[in-house]
Amino acid sequence: NGVRLIQELSPKSLDQLVSYGERCSVRIMAARLNQIGVPAQAFDAWDVGVLTDDTYGDAKLLPGTIASIKERFDGRVDPNVVAVVTGFIGHNTKGKI
C-alpha cells in the first residue's frame, strides 16, 4: 500500500521493504530451532557488528567490519547457542538500512 500510495520504489525504499522479510525470517527460524530443542537466538546483522556503505541495493561492507563482527560475537553470542543472523542487510554509519 505504501509503495502504491507514494508511486515510488527507490533502491533505498526497496532495501527497507525487503529487510522486513529477512528480519522476520530469522526470528521464525530461531523460534523453530528452539521448539525442536536446538538453542538458538535471532540477530539483526547490525546487532553483531555489520556496517555497510550507503550504496542502496548494492551495499558493501565497510573496512573493519569483519573484526567488529568477531568482537561482538565474542562478547554477545553464547557459543552454545546457534546464532541465526540476517545475511543481506546491514546498517550504514548513520544507522540506516
Side-chain angles (χ1 to χ4, degrees):
N1 277 345
V3 172
R4 187 175 63 209
L5 180 68
I6 63 172
Q7 302 281 309
E8 182 269 336
L9 186 60
S10 68
K12 181 179 179 180
S13 297
L14 182 59
D15 279 3
Q16 183 73 37
L17 182 65
V18 298
S19 77
Y20 292 116
E22 190 169 340
R23 290 185 283 164
C24 186
S25 295
V26 297
R27 285 155 178 79
I28 292 168
M29 185 65 183
R32 180 63 183 137
L33 288 170
N34 281 302
Q35 278 182 337
I36 63 171
V38 178
Q41 183 175 355
F43 293 93
D44 290 321
W46 48 82
D47 291 332
V48 293
V50 175
L51 282 175
T52 64
D53 62 24
D54 293 329
T55 309
Y56 294 105
D58 193 27
K60 305 288 187 261
L61 295 176
L62 292 179
T65 296
I66 301 301
S68 174
I69 293 168
K70 288 178 183 177
E71 181 181 306
R72 295 262 183 109
F73 260 80
D74 286 344
R76 209 174 155 191
V77 180
D78 183 339
N80 299 310
V81 173
V82 174
V84 184
V85 183
T86 56
F88 292 99
I89 59 174
H91 269 178
N92 63 20
T93 57
K94 300 173 196 106
K96 302 287 184 190
I97 292 174

